[in-house]
Amino acid sequence: MLYIVPTPIGNLEDITLRALRILAEVDLILAEDTRTSGKLLSHYEITTHMQSFHTHNEHKKIDYVIEQLKTGKKIALISDAGTPGISDPGFLLSRACVEADIDMTCLPGATALIPALVMSGIPCDKFYFEGFLPQKKGKKTRIDYLLSLPVSFAFYESPFRVLKTLEMIQLLSDQDRKVSICREISKMYEESVTLPLSEMIVFLKGKTQIKGEFVIVVEGNKEK
């Protein structure tokens, strides 16, 4: 059995009792970064053996993991924060389990996307999730597409690119849409701000330093 286990995106208390039990009971934990996950396991006194499983080695390790699962091993997959497979390693392994007819379950738990949507005050009964935008090639094309949608869209962005990305959205949009930025969710310096796009750019330019990973929510195309 493969268990896909969400881990806290900030506050260590944001983990379920079931997740803690699974992590303590499985034979092996596959972790995106064993050093990061080691802090979580140490906090809850979980001593299960860990191995690294990340973007750079998952192709090489999938066959090994599938063979271990076929022998009856119980394995948990975790990422540094949030739910594996959502803009984190995990998809390739889950697909391999489906193809090999191996039992798998994903526990409900932490993700940055949903709290950011809810706190934005922007309609989120229907929305489009982009994940991460291309850093260079294809970025303008993706933003053009997202701006054409009649529903709100959300994406993740680095603190080093958030301002430039919003400036590109402003350049490509003929509407001063509402935009929400949410960072440091569940942490001490959590911040969620919703403003018209033009005001949001001024707001960010007024900051001496921009820190934390961002979830950005943009209002849908009102003309559609």
Side-chain angles (χ1 to χ4, degrees):
M1 169 75 86
L2 175 69
Y3 297 90
I4 300 174
V5 181
T7 54
I9 58 176
N11 193 314
L12 292 182
E13 293 179 2
D14 293 335
I15 189 167
T16 66
L17 295 175
R18 181 184 175 205
L20 293 175
R21 176 179 61 79
I22 293 296
L23 292 176
E25 290 179 355
V26 294
D27 301 299
L28 173 67
I29 296 174
L30 300 175
E32 185 178 4
D33 187 325
T34 55
R35 294 165 299 181
T36 300
S37 297
K39 297 175 184 177
L40 173 68
L41 299 187
S42 176
H43 180 79
Y44 286 105
E45 299 180 348
I46 294 171
T47 59
T48 306
H49 179 63
M50 281 192 295
Q51 290 184 11
S52 65
F53 188 86
H54 48 71
T55 304
H56 304 294
N57 72 2
E58 59 180 333
H59 286 87
K60 297 178 181 178
K61 297 194 74 167
I62 282 179
D63 289 344
Y64 163 77
V65 175
I66 293 298
E67 287 304 313
Q68 293 297 305
L69 289 165
K70 284 181 176 179
T71 65
K73 294 285 181 64
K74 294 186 294 184
I75 298 177
L77 173 67
I78 60 177
S79 60
D80 289 348
T83 302
I86 306 298
S87 297
D88 275 327
F91 163 70
L92 294 179
L93 181 55
S94 64
R95 183 178 65 182
C97 285
V98 170
E99 293 173 349
D101 198 25
I102 290 172
D103 289 337
M104 171 178 54
T105 188
C106 180
L107 279 61
T111 176
L113 174 63
I114 300 305
L117 280 167
V118 173
M119 290 191 290
S120 73
I122 295 172
C124 59
D125 54 326
K126 296 179 181 178
F127 65 90
Y128 184 96
F129 176 54
E130 176 68 8
F132 286 97
L133 287 165
Q135 291 188 27
K136 294 180 181 178
K137 186 177 180 180
K139 186 170 185 176
K140 178 181 179 297
T141 301
R142 286 307 298 170
I143 290 176
D144 270 331
Y145 170 72
L146 294 170
L147 289 171
S148 73
L149 299 174
V151 298
S152 305
F153 63 90
F155 60 96
Y156 296 150
E157 189 55 283
S158 156
F160 308 109
R161 293 188 295 270
V162 62
L163 182 55
K164 288 185 177 181
T165 298
L166 290 180
E167 288 176 332
M168 182 177 287
I169 291 174
Q170 183 184 46
L171 182 66
L172 297 173
S173 177
D174 56 359
Q175 304 167 24
D176 195 19
R177 309 183 188 204
K178 287 184 179 179
V179 174
S180 173
I181 59 169
C182 193
R183 67 183 189 91
E184 301 291 277
I185 296 173
S186 83
K187 299 178 184 177
M188 183 180 296
Y189 298 107
E190 178 181 301
E191 181 179 37
S192 179
V193 179
T194 301
L195 292 168
L197 178 56
S198 58
E199 295 180 25
M200 184 65 77
I201 290 172
V202 173
F203 171 76
L204 288 174
K205 284 183 175 179
K207 286 185 169 291
T208 55
Q209 194 172 18
I210 300 174
K211 294 182 177 181
E213 298 298 321
F214 283 79
V215 184
I216 301 176
V217 182
V218 181
E219 187 177 23
N221 193 328
K222 296 177 182 178
E223 298 177 358
K224 292 297 181 82

